[in-house]
Amino acid sequence: MRTASRLMVLAAAILLTLACIPTVCAAAPPASGRLRVGIIGFTGPFGSQYVQYASNCLSDVLVDMRRFEVVERANIDRILAEQRFQVSGAVNRDTAVRLGEILGIDYAFIGSLDRCEGKSEYWTDKDGRRHYYYSGSAEVSIRIIDASTGTIVSSLRLRGWGRDDSSPSAACLDAVKSCFGSTLRDELVAKFPVIGEVLEARSNHEVYIRTEEASVMTPGSSFRILRPNVTQVGGSGSRHQFVSTDQVAVVRIVSVYGTIARAKIVESSGEVVAGDYAVQVQGYRTPGERAATALAVVVLVALVALAAALQP
């Protein structure tokens, strides 16, 4: 019964956490076009296969998001060699600005594989037999640098775990890959959201959004619909203005046609009109989806508690 009580406390804690999760996360959006980025370096005190794999995983994430134009590493090495420019793991402000000028990139990504370990584990079945496997753990740090100013706009530390039955190296590679999951994507969307403009609102349920670049929006992604609110102080000739944005809706992309996407309204606090801004938001869930998740957690914990209570 003590186990059941602890599980019910856990369920209450999970519900409280779900209730406190914000439905949208505000972010100061950068330029609306596709950003040109480059992975300047990836280092680490491990074998080259692990470090290179980490760099490839980061590149895959950036490409798959469709928000970035990723300069290939081969082209980066060629351009830097032509300019006789050497890059180490420690890139300072002046070096980052110079790299931005040489490579023509908006942002530089610098990574480090800080931990990569694999070890043997086992579990015992009901007959007392041991079943061996390999577990892996990894830790990656990434700095994102604004190539125009040399300032670090974000510093991320990512952790991952893996498992494989064949070898510890395979488990390590699996752990490295898991570092580049939803946490990284959420951070990148928060820092570099896709920005569009409402082209047309056909009804209270459907809107069309246009972006500068084709295929940067994907079906299933969510966007906040924002309306600029300008307040002028000091009369008609005054130059003192305060600009804010009011959120009028949240929409979810249904289909994409080049630079135009069709979206359905999933939450609304006002009427969407042409000219409103659309800013991408990651991890949004409607109130109904959040309630369904909370209910599923309660049912699962209740079943576990019941099973624990029925044990002799």
Side-chain angles (χ1 to χ4, degrees):
M1 294 302 293
R2 291 181 179 178
T3 301
S5 298
R6 286 196 296 266
L7 289 172
M8 294 310 295
V9 171
L10 175 61
I14 293 174
L15 285 173
L16 180 61
T17 301
L18 289 171
C20 296
I21 294 175
T23 56
V24 291
C25 300
S32 56
R34 196 186 297 267
L35 300 172
R36 184 175 170 88
V37 301
I39 302 174
I40 302 305
F42 224 107
T43 59
F46 304 98
S48 59
Q49 63 168 330
Y50 303 111
V51 177
Q52 184 59 51
Y53 186 63
S55 179
N56 292 343
C57 287
L58 175 57
S59 178
D60 290 344
V61 170
L62 295 174
V63 172
D64 290 344
M65 290 184 66
R66 303 183 185 181
R67 178 68 172 97
F68 307 98
E69 177 188 347
V70 183
V71 182
E72 293 186 2
R73 183 67 206 186
N75 289 335
I76 291 177
D77 293 338
R78 176 183 57 80
I79 295 172
L80 295 181
E82 291 173 354
Q83 296 291 324
R84 298 180 179 179
F85 197 93
Q86 299 294 325
V87 180
S88 64
V91 176
N92 58 32
R93 180 187 297 263
D94 295 335
T95 302
V97 173
R98 180 63 178 146
L99 283 170
E101 295 172 349
I102 294 175
L103 301 173
I105 58 177
D106 299 302
Y107 293 89
F109 284 72
I110 301 173
S112 173
L113 181 58
D114 302 322
R115 183 165 62 89
C116 187
E117 300 175 349
K119 60 181 180 180
S120 177
E121 303 274 7
Y122 70 86
W123 61 277
T124 306
D125 62 22
K126 62 180 181 179
D127 297 323
R129 290 177 297 184
R130 291 183 176 181
H131 300 266
Y132 288 88
Y133 64 94
Y134 299 97
S135 65
S137 60
E139 189 168 313
V140 170
S141 56
I142 297 174
R143 287 184 295 152
I144 307 174
I145 300 176
D146 187 333
S148 64
T149 62
T151 58
I152 299 176
V153 298
S154 186
S155 183
L156 309 175
R157 186 168 295 276
L158 309 166
R159 296 177 177 84
W161 293 266
R163 172 175 171 165
D164 194 271
D165 295 330
S166 60
S167 66
S169 60
C172 283
L173 290 174
D174 193 35
V176 170
K177 183 177 182 180
S178 70
C179 290
F180 300 88
S182 59
T183 299
L184 174 60
R185 291 176 181 269
D186 290 350
E187 290 286 346
L188 292 176
V189 169
K191 294 292 181 182
F192 309 105
V194 174
I195 302 173
E197 182 182 7
V198 174
L199 183 65
E200 182 181 1
R202 290 193 173 178
S203 67
N204 294 331
H205 306 287
E206 186 177 78
V207 299
Y208 286 81
I209 300 172
R210 176 175 56 194
T211 57
E212 293 183 2
E213 296 284 342
S215 302
V216 295
M217 294 183 286
T218 57
S221 57
S222 300
F223 283 74
R224 296 185 298 145
I225 304 300
L226 304 176
R227 183 169 302 151
N229 180 20
V230 181
T231 302
Q232 185 169 280
V233 179
S236 59
S238 174
R239 297 180 59 185
H240 297 284
Q241 293 183 335
F242 300 91
V243 180
S244 62
T245 54
D246 297 325
Q247 178 175 306
V248 295
V250 178
V251 303
R252 186 163 291 163
I253 303 299
V254 176
S255 54
V256 180
Y257 314 92
T259 61
I260 299 176
R262 180 170 66 89
K264 65 176 181 179
I265 298 175
V266 295
E267 182 178 323
S268 177
S269 59
E271 181 182 1
V272 180
V273 298
D276 287 342
Y277 289 100
V279 180
Q280 185 183 14
V281 59
Q282 185 75 356
Y284 171 80
R285 293 178 299 165
T286 66
E289 291 168 341
R290 296 178 67 200
T293 301
L295 178 60
V297 171
V298 171
V299 171
L300 177 60
V301 174
L303 290 175
V304 173
L306 179 61
L310 294 177
Q311 286 183 353

